[in-house]
Amino acid sequence: MTDTHTARTVVSFEDARSMAGTDLGETDWREITQEMVNTFADATDDHQWIHVDPERAKDGPFGAPIAHGFLTLSLIIPFWGELFDVTDVSTKLNYGLDKVRFTAPVTVGSKVRMRGRISAVEEVKGGGLHLVVDATFEVEGQERPAVVATFLARFYP
C-alpha cells in the first residue's frame, strides 16, 4: 500500500519543542483484511488458527478470525505519519515503545484508527527532540480500544 496521506499536523523543528500536551486527533479508518492477517502470520511465523483459519475461528471465542496484536500495533508507523511530521530535520527515528497493552481483539473486517497526543517533548544528546506520544487504537463501533501504547519518536536537525 502506498502512503498518499499528508500529515495533519506539520511543524518546524523549532515549533516541535512546544508541542507537549498537543492532541493530534485521529487518523482515517483502515480495514483489517484477512490478507493482511495472513501476510503478517507468514512474516512472523505465527499461524495460530484464531488468526488464519476463518472457518474454525467462526466457532472460536470472537466469532471470526482476529488480527495479531502486533499487527494492529505495527500500524502505528503509517498512522503516525498520517498524524504528525516535522520539517527541516535530517533524521526521523521511531525510537521505541513504552507500556503497550492489547485491550480488545480486532476481528477481520473491522476498521481501526489511531488517536494520538504528544504528552512530552524533551531535548536529547545530539540536539534532537524526543517526543512521547500517547497512542490509542480505536475499533469502529466499539467503546473499548484495541491497543493503548506509549510511542517514542525522535527528530534531529
Side-chain angles (χ1 to χ4, degrees):
M1 173 181 274
T2 303
D3 181 22
T4 59
H5 292 97
T6 301
R8 286 184 170 79
T9 300
V10 179
V11 299
S12 70
F13 181 80
E14 196 56 41
D15 288 343
R17 294 177 186 279
S18 63
M19 295 297 292
T22 301
D23 182 352
L24 299 173
E26 70 276 334
T27 65
D28 292 334
W29 292 106
R30 183 175 292 213
E31 183 176 355
I32 301 298
T33 66
Q34 188 64 55
E35 181 182 6
M36 289 170 68
V37 171
N38 293 346
T39 300
F40 192 85
D42 289 342
T44 60
D45 200 22
D46 180 356
H47 294 94
Q48 187 181 67
W49 65 268
I50 196 74
H51 304 301
V52 298
D53 188 340
E55 286 305 310
R56 185 174 176 194
K58 284 180 188 176
D59 296 324
F62 308 108
I66 61 170
H68 304 75
F70 284 109
L71 167 58
T72 305
L73 179 62
S74 73
L75 294 175
I76 203 165
I77 302 306
F79 282 159
W80 175 239
E82 191 177 327
L83 287 180
F84 188 75
D85 198 11
V86 177
T87 61
D88 62 306
V89 295
S90 65
T91 306
K92 303 173 186 181
L93 293 175
N94 300 318
Y95 191 72
L97 298 160
D98 282 340
K99 193 174 180 182
V100 176
R101 299 291 180 266
F102 301 109
T103 53
V106 177
T107 56
V108 168
S110 296
K111 291 182 181 178
V112 297
R113 70 179 176 189
M114 188 181 88
R115 183 173 295 280
R117 181 182 174 280
I118 300 173
S119 60
V121 178
E122 305 160 358
E123 291 189 28
V124 293
K125 187 176 180 178
L129 294 177
H130 177 85
L131 278 66
V132 178
V133 181
D134 300 325
T136 303
F137 291 77
E138 302 172 338
V139 180
E140 189 175 46
Q142 292 183 15
E143 191 171 316
R144 187 177 181 108
V147 180
V148 178
T150 303
F151 174 61
L152 309 173
R154 288 196 174 177
F155 297 91
Y156 292 90

